Amino acid sequence: MDENWLKELNKKNLVLQGEDYSKWDFATVILSSSVLKKLSQEEQSKFQITDFKRATNEIEHWARVEEICDFFGVEDPDLAGDIYERKFKNLTVDDEIKWMDLKEISEDKPEGFGVQVAWA
C-alpha cells in the first residue's frame, strides 16, 4: 500500500512548539484491527486500542450492539475484534476519503466497514 498521503498527513499533525493543542480542529480516525493491519508497522504504532462507549441503559445497549456489528461487518458482536483510534488536526475531506478507501468490503457489506472518521 502506498502510504505517501499518510506521510504528508503526519507532517500536518505535528505539534509545533508553543502551539495551543486545545485549539486544534480534531478528527478521530477509528479502525478495526483488520483495517489497521493494512498499514505499515510504523503507522500501526501511532494508533491506540480503545473501546466503544459503554451503554447506560438497555435501549442504548442494543444500539451499541448494532453499531459494533455494523462497524466490524459481523452479525454477532462476539465476533468483533479490537478497535483503534488516532486523532488528527486539520484533517481534510480528501484525507477522510483516503481513510474510507481502506474499508473492508464483503458480499454482505458492499458499502464497506472497519473505518470511521468522527469530527470534533
Side-chain angles (χ1 to χ4, degrees):
M1 181 181 108
D2 179 14
E3 290 187 352
N4 285 328
W5 66 273
L6 199 45
K7 289 177 184 170
E8 289 301 314
L9 182 57
N10 287 331
K11 288 177 188 174
K12 292 191 300 186
N13 205 50
L14 295 175
V15 180
L16 303 174
Q17 189 172 4
E19 185 176 19
D20 186 355
Y21 192 82
S22 67
K23 295 196 187 253
W24 281 11
D25 185 18
F26 276 113
T28 303
V29 174
I30 303 164
L31 305 178
S32 67
S33 50
S34 61
V35 173
L36 184 73
K37 289 177 186 173
K38 293 180 178 183
L39 303 176
S40 67
Q41 287 288 75
E42 179 184 353
E43 291 302 326
Q44 288 180 34
S45 69
K46 295 174 184 173
F47 281 80
Q48 295 181 331
I49 195 166
T50 190
D51 292 317
F52 274 97
K53 184 178 157 197
R54 299 228 182 262
T56 58
N57 59 49
E58 190 169 344
I59 293 170
E60 206 174 278
H61 167 78
W62 290 111
R64 293 278 183 257
V65 167
E66 186 177 340
E67 179 184 4
I68 290 167
C69 289
D70 285 347
F71 183 76
F72 285 99
V74 297
E75 291 186 25
D76 180 351
D78 291 335
L79 299 175
D82 293 324
I83 58 172
Y84 298 83
E85 73 175 28
R86 181 176 174 202
K87 292 192 182 308
F88 290 92
K89 71 175 182 177
N90 304 322
L91 198 72
T92 67
V93 173
D94 287 340
D95 296 328
E96 180 180 12
I97 290 168
K98 288 177 180 159
W99 282 114
M100 292 303 193
D101 286 345
L102 295 176
K103 284 184 174 183
E104 295 285 340
I105 305 293
S106 73
E107 192 173 299
D108 295 337
K109 296 274 186 182
E111 71 279 6
F113 57 92
V115 178
Q116 198 174 62
V117 177
W119 298 85

